[in-house]
C-alpha cells in the first residue's frame, strides 16, 4: 500500500501558516490549505526581477539627459529632442518604481490611487515593462531591437472580425481546433495555469469572467477575446506581450512587424512547450546557449536558420514565423541604412 493510499497530512507551505493539509488517496497532491496561502507561497519563491537596477539605470540616464539641456534658447531643436528622450526614460523609471512597489507586496489598487490613475490604466502601462527592463539592463552591440510601439488595449486595427482560424467558429470567441495556432495558444495558457496552481474560481475573480469560460480557454475549447486573454495572462503572472503573437495567430490576424514581435512569438512558443530550460532547448535545436538566449531575449536579431530551428524545437510551425522574421529583418536593415527599406520579401530567401 503506497503512502498516498493511507491517511496523510502535510504542513501548509504558505508563509506563516502551520495548518495541516489532508491528502486525498486520489487526485493531485495538495500543498496549501487555501488559495491565498498558495498565492503567498508562489510570490515568496518567485525569483525577483532586478527592478532595483532597472530603476537606478533609468534614473542615471535621466540625469545624463537633463544635464544636456541648454535653456538659453539658442539650441531649441536639441532641447525638444531631449524632451522626447526624457519622456521615454521617465516612463521606464515610473515602471521600475511601480514594479518595486509590487515586489514589496503593495496592491495594485493602492499603487494606482497614489499615482492618481485607474487600476486598468496602470496594468496596461506595465504591459511592456519587462521588455523595456531587458533593453535597459542588457545593452549589447550588433543589430539592436528598437523601442517598438507596444500593443494597446486592443490589437492593431484589423478586419471588423478576426478571420476564422481553421477549425474555428469565426465568432469573436471561437472554438479552438485540435492542432495549429489555436492549439498552441491553449497549450501556453494550460502550462501557465498548471505552473500557477490557481483554481479557476480564483482566476475568474481576477479576470472577470465565469470559471467555466476560463476552463474552456485553458483546455482549448474556446479562443477568448484579447481583453480576456490579456487579463488571464496577467493573473497567471505572464507577460501579455509574449501571449499576443500566439493569440493573433490563433485568431487569423495578419502578423505584426518588428523584431520585438518575433522575439515575443518565440518566447510564447517556449511557454506553450512548457518552458524548457535554455540548455535543453539549445540541445534540441542544435544551437549554442548563446544563440538561443539572444533569439529569445532580443540581444540580436537571429537569422532565419536559427529562428526556424528554435521554432521546430518548440513544436511550432516555422512557416507561421516567416512573415514576422522577414518584416523584422527589413526593419533592421532600414534602421542601418537610415531609410525606408524597399526590399521585397523574396529577397530574404
Amino acid at each position: 500500500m503506497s503512502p498516498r493510499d493511507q491517511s496523510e497530512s502535510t504542513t501548509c507551505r504558505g508563509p506563516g501558516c502551520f495548518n495541516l493539509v489532508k491528502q486525498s488517496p486520489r487526485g493531485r497532491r495538495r500543498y496549501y490549505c487555501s488559495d491565498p496561502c498558495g498565492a503567498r507561497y508562489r510570490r515568496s519563491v518567485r525569483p525577483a526581477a532586478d527592478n532595483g537596477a532597472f530603476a537606478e539605470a533609468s534614473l542615471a540616464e535621466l540625469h545624463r539627459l537633463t544635464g544636456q539641456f541648454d535653456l538659453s534658447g539658442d539650441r531649441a531643436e536639441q532641447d525638444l529632442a531631449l524632451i522626447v528622450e526624457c519622456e521615454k526614460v521617465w516612463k521606464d523609471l515610473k515602471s521600475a518604481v511601480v514594479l518595486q512597489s509590487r515586489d514589496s507586496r503593495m496592491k495594485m489598487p493602492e499603487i494606482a490611487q497614489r499615482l492618481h490613475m485607474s487600476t486598468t490604466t496602470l496594468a496596461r502601462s506595465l504591459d511592456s515593462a519587462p521588455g523595456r527592463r531587458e533593453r535597459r539592463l542588457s545593452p549589447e552591440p550588433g543589430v539592436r531591437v528598437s523601442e517598438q510601439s507596444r500593443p494597446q488595449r486592443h490589437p492593431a486595427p484589423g478586419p471588423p472580425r478576426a478571420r476564422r482560424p481553421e477549425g474555428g467558429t469565426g465568432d469573436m470567441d471561437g472554438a479552438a481546433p485540435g492542432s495549429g495556432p489555436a492549439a498552441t495558444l491553449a497549450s501556453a495558457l494550460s502550462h501557465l495555469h498548471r505552473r500557477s496552481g490557481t483554481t479557476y474560481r480564483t482566476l475568474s475573480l481576477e479576470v472577470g469572467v465565469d470559471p467555466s469560460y476560463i476552463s474552456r480557454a485553458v483546455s482549448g475549447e474556446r479562443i477568448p477575446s484579447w481583453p480576456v486573454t490579456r487579463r488571464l495572462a496577467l493573473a497567471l503572472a505572464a507577460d501579455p506581450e509574449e501571449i499576443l503573437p500566439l493569440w493573433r495567430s490563433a485568431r487569423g490576424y495578419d502578423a505584426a512587424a518588428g523584431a520585438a514581435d518575433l522575439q515575443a512569438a518565440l518566447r510564447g512558443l517556449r511557454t506553450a512547450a512548457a518552458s524548457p530550460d535554455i540548455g535543453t532547448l539549445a540541445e534540441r535545436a542544435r544551437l549554442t546557449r548563446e544563440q538561443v538566449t539572444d533569439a529569445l531575449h532580443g540581444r540580436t536579431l537571429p537569422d532565419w536558420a536559427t529562428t526556424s530551428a528554435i521554432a521546430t524545437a518548440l513544436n511550432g510551425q516555422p512557416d507561421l514565423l516567416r512573415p514576422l522574421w522577414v518584416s523584422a529583418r527589413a526593419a533592421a536593415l532600414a534602421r542601418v541604412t537610415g531609410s525606408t527599406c524597399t526590399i521585397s520579401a523574396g529577397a530574404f530567401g
Side-chain angles (χ1 to χ4, degrees):
M1 180 177 295
S2 65
R4 292 298 306 277
D5 295 330
Q6 303 174 359
S7 177
E8 180 183 357
S9 297
T10 58
T11 303
C12 177
R13 293 185 178 182
C17 180
F18 301 97
N19 292 333
L20 293 179
V21 182
K22 294 183 179 180
Q23 301 297 331
S24 171
R26 299 179 181 178
R28 297 171 58 183
R29 187 177 183 86
R30 299 181 61 225
Y31 297 103
Y32 321 107
C33 64
S34 63
D35 287 341
C37 276
R40 286 196 297 270
Y41 173 76
R42 289 188 293 275
R43 285 196 298 265
S44 66
V45 300
R46 186 178 300 157
D50 199 354
N51 294 321
F54 183 27
E56 291 177 1
S58 301
L59 184 59
E61 178 65 9
L62 190 61
H63 281 315
R64 187 187 71 83
L65 291 173
T66 54
Q68 299 179 23
F69 276 94
D70 180 2
L71 302 181
S72 65
D74 296 334
R75 306 176 68 181
E77 292 184 359
Q78 173 183 300
D79 289 346
L80 290 174
L82 284 171
I83 287 176
V84 174
E85 293 301 316
C86 285
E87 288 178 340
K88 294 179 181 178
V89 180
W90 176 255
K91 180 180 179 182
D92 284 356
L93 179 59
K94 180 179 177 181
S95 297
V97 174
V98 171
L99 291 174
Q100 285 183 307
S101 301
R102 292 183 60 185
D103 291 342
S104 65
R105 306 293 187 267
M106 186 179 292
K107 301 295 185 181
M108 287 288 281
E110 182 181 355
I111 299 174
Q113 183 180 13
R114 292 178 179 274
L115 293 177
H116 303 289
M117 61 172 60
S118 68
T119 305
T120 301
T121 301
L122 176 60
R124 191 160 61 244
S125 70
L126 293 179
D127 282 353
S128 61
R132 288 187 284 112
R133 179 180 58 207
E134 181 70 24
R135 283 189 293 273
R136 180 69 61 188
L137 298 180
S138 303
E140 292 288 340
V143 179
R144 297 294 300 140
V145 180
S146 63
E147 181 73 21
Q148 302 285 335
S149 58
R150 295 300 175 183
Q152 303 299 318
R153 184 174 183 179
H154 301 288
R161 297 171 71 89
R163 293 199 302 273
R164 180 176 63 190
E166 182 180 355
T169 65
D171 295 335
M172 289 308 292
D173 292 299
S179 62
T184 302
L185 171 65
S187 296
L189 295 178
S190 177
H191 167 66
L192 292 172
H193 174 248
R194 292 194 304 272
R195 186 184 69 179
S196 72
T198 310
T199 65
Y200 290 142
R201 183 172 298 277
T202 300
L203 286 175
S204 71
L205 297 176
E206 296 188 44
V207 179
V209 296
D210 192 78
S212 62
Y213 185 95
I214 294 180
S215 175
R216 291 194 298 271
V218 171
S219 65
E221 296 178 21
R222 306 294 290 180
I223 304 175
S225 64
W226 171 243
V228 171
T229 305
R230 177 182 169 278
R231 292 197 299 270
L232 182 57
L234 290 172
L236 293 174
D239 185 355
E241 290 186 51
E242 297 180 5
I243 303 300
L244 179 58
L246 303 182
W247 181 88
R248 291 183 65 90
S249 183
R251 281 304 187 88
Y253 278 115
D254 293 332
D261 299 288
L262 173 66
Q263 292 143 8
L266 289 174
R267 293 194 300 270
L269 287 178
R270 185 188 181 194
T271 299
S275 299
D277 60 69
I278 297 297
T280 301
L281 181 53
E283 183 177 352
R284 291 180 187 172
R286 297 183 179 180
L287 299 169
T288 65
R289 295 173 63 94
E290 290 73 17
Q291 286 176 302
V292 173
T293 301
D294 288 347
L296 293 176
H297 298 289
R299 293 184 174 87
T300 59
L301 179 66
D303 57 27
W304 173 243
T306 300
T307 303
S308 178
I310 293 176
T312 301
L314 292 172
N315 301 318
Q317 301 177 33
D319 290 344
L320 296 177
L321 291 180
R322 184 72 178 183
L324 275 176
W325 182 86
V326 170
S327 298
R329 186 61 178 170
L333 290 177
R335 288 195 298 274
V336 172
T337 60
S339 62
T340 302
C341 182
T342 59
I343 302 176
S344 65
F348 296 102

